[in-house]
Amino acid sequence: SQGLPLARDALAMAETLGIDELRAHSLATIGLAKSYLGDPTGAQDEMHALEIAMAANSPVAGSIANNVAVQAIFEFDLRRSDELFEEGERIAERFGDASGVRWLRGQRAIGAVILGHWDDALGMIEEFIAECEAGLPHYLEGSLRRERGRIREARGDIDAALEDHRNAVALGRSAGDPRELVPNLSAAIAAFEAHGYMDDARTLARELVDVARQSPHDAAISASFDFVLTRVVRDYETELRDALRDSPQPRWKELALTCLDRDFVRAAEMWAAGGSPTWEARLRMRAAEELIETGRRAEGEVELGQALAFYRSVKATFYVDRCAALLGQAKTA
């Protein structure tokens, strides 16, 4: 919100001077700021900024295309965001924007996990992390280690997965950005809880809630993935609901609150509508746990069947075994 007046001043100056590149950059900043504040007109500003940048043959077009993709994420249209990140990468390549290309490659790798393309995602992630380890560090390294940790855990490589999550948290702290730190904390909490490291999970949960309360604009999207599926979240539920109350992202806020209400079937359906088979399956497995625990075994088996179909398709042996164990529990209860 503090940058919005400055961006508007810059836009006025650019229009007075007739500098299209500065117009596009300023308008893109205005659009993104509006979206963080919950103003739906931000998306229109972003699209206009992209049109100006493309017409001016400006290298900033790639980064603005990234912003348009982020807008689609805010709107919970995950398929569209992936298409826009891919388009942004092509634009950045066209204008020789090497920094933009690398950023968008990272975003596309994250998107590939969300969309269920795990083998493609893992290849992109491994390449990106190798570049970081070879002396080309990047802001997105923590996010990519987090996503590699997800795939490694799902495929049974637990020690390597936990190491990825520890590194992702450390990198998130170094970035000093809640949008980077909170999802990394969230994923680590879920992994530590799943494998019995409860003290670590509780310590990180306290950190996550503190950061979310300080940054409510980022809380809904960042916390909507792993943390709201854990059991340790119940110790912090009131505080997290308070943090979410001020979130300007209605779809993500609704998703997070639905999970806190433990209506995991509805949350799975929301993920399916948003375009993520990866998270739909994760929510269906969590729904099955809740249903079986509360005596609704037949409903739980239905959810497990859908989760199993996806996990088998991506070779997620750890989750396949977990679903099979839950099915056995349902049949013998």
Side-chain angles (χ1 to χ4, degrees), residues 18-72:
I19 304 173
D20 284 340
E21 185 167 342
L22 181 56
R23 281 179 65 212
H25 191 280
S26 303
L27 195 57
T29 302
I30 290 168
L32 199 57
K34 281 183 177 181
S35 296
Y36 277 118
L37 296 172
D39 183 341
T41 66
Q44 300 168 18
D45 291 332
E46 291 286 356
M47 286 302 301
H48 189 201
L50 183 57
E51 291 167 1
I52 294 169
M54 292 290 290
N57 286 318
S58 169
V60 303
S63 62
I64 295 173
N66 174 80
N67 289 358
V68 176
V70 171
Q71 292 282 356

Side-chain angles (χ1 to χ4, degrees), residues 149-166:
R150 290 192 201 286
I151 296 175
R152 283 176 161 177
E153 180 190 22
R155 291 179 170 176
D157 193 355
I158 306 304
D159 289 343
L162 294 177
E163 185 63 19
D164 269 336
H165 286 303
R166 291 187 185 98

Side-chain angles (χ1 to χ4, degrees), residues 2-143:
Q2 294 176 348
L4 192 53
L6 294 175
R8 284 175 169 149
D9 289 345
L11 178 60
M13 183 183 302
E15 289 176 340
T16 299
L17 298 174
I19 304 173
D20 284 340
E21 185 167 342
L22 181 56
R23 281 179 65 212
H25 191 280
S26 303
L27 195 57
T29 302
I30 290 168
L32 199 57
K34 281 183 177 181
S35 296
Y36 277 118
L37 296 172
D39 183 341
T41 66
Q44 300 168 18
D45 291 332
E46 291 286 356
M47 286 302 301
H48 189 201
L50 183 57
E51 291 167 1
I52 294 169
M54 292 290 290
N57 286 318
S58 169
V60 303
S63 62
I64 295 173
N66 174 80
N67 289 358
V68 176
V70 171
Q71 292 282 356
I73 292 174
F74 289 158
E75 295 165 7
F76 205 54
D77 189 347
L78 304 173
R79 297 183 192 91
R80 180 60 178 151
S81 71
D82 184 67
E83 292 169 357
L84 289 164
F85 281 131
E86 184 176 1
E87 182 180 348
E89 185 178 356
R90 287 196 298 268
I91 292 169
E93 287 174 344
R94 170 184 164 189
F95 289 113
D97 178 8
S99 174
V101 169
R102 193 170 182 216
W103 175 274
L104 288 154
R105 279 175 51 221
Q107 294 283 24
R108 289 190 60 218
I110 296 166
V113 179
I114 292 171
L115 295 178
H117 309 310
W118 286 19
D119 288 339
D120 291 342
L122 191 57
M124 289 189 280
I125 290 169
E126 295 281 15
E127 181 181 358
F128 199 103
I129 291 174
E131 292 170 359
C132 295
E133 292 175 339
L136 295 171
H138 197 276
Y139 173 89
L140 289 176
E141 181 183 353
S143 291

Side-chain angles (χ1 to χ4, degrees), residues 256-317:
L257 292 174
T258 299
C259 291
L260 290 175
D261 291 338
R262 287 186 270 289
D263 188 353
F264 297 116
V265 173
R266 179 165 172 258
E269 292 166 352
M270 293 171 70
W271 275 114
S276 176
T278 292
W279 283 96
E280 178 192 355
R282 183 68 184 85
L283 266 292
R284 293 201 184 281
M285 186 170 66
R286 184 67 183 89
E289 292 173 346
E290 195 77 11
L291 290 165
I292 291 167
E293 286 174 10
T294 55
R296 299 161 66 185
R297 296 189 296 275
E299 293 171 72
E301 289 182 30
V302 171
E303 298 303 315
L304 283 172
Q306 294 183 69
L308 264 171
F310 173 75
Y311 286 135
R312 285 174 176 146
S313 75
V314 293
K315 304 184 289 291
T317 53

Side-chain angles (χ1 to χ4, degrees), residues 142-143 146 165 168-169 171-172 180-189 204:
S143 291
R146 178 191 72 226
H165 286 303
V169 168
L171 287 162
E180 180 72 5
L181 176 57
V182 173
N184 295 359
L185 288 169
S186 183
I189 292 163
L204 295 183

Side-chain angles (χ1 to χ4, degrees), residues 219-221 224 241 243-260 270:
I221 294 178
S224 289
R241 285 181 185 273
L244 290 168
R245 185 172 52 242
D246 296 325
S247 171
Q249 306 300 336
R251 290 178 177 84
W252 290 95
K253 178 179 177 178
E254 180 185 4
L255 175 62
L257 292 174
T258 299
C259 291
L260 290 175
M270 293 171 70

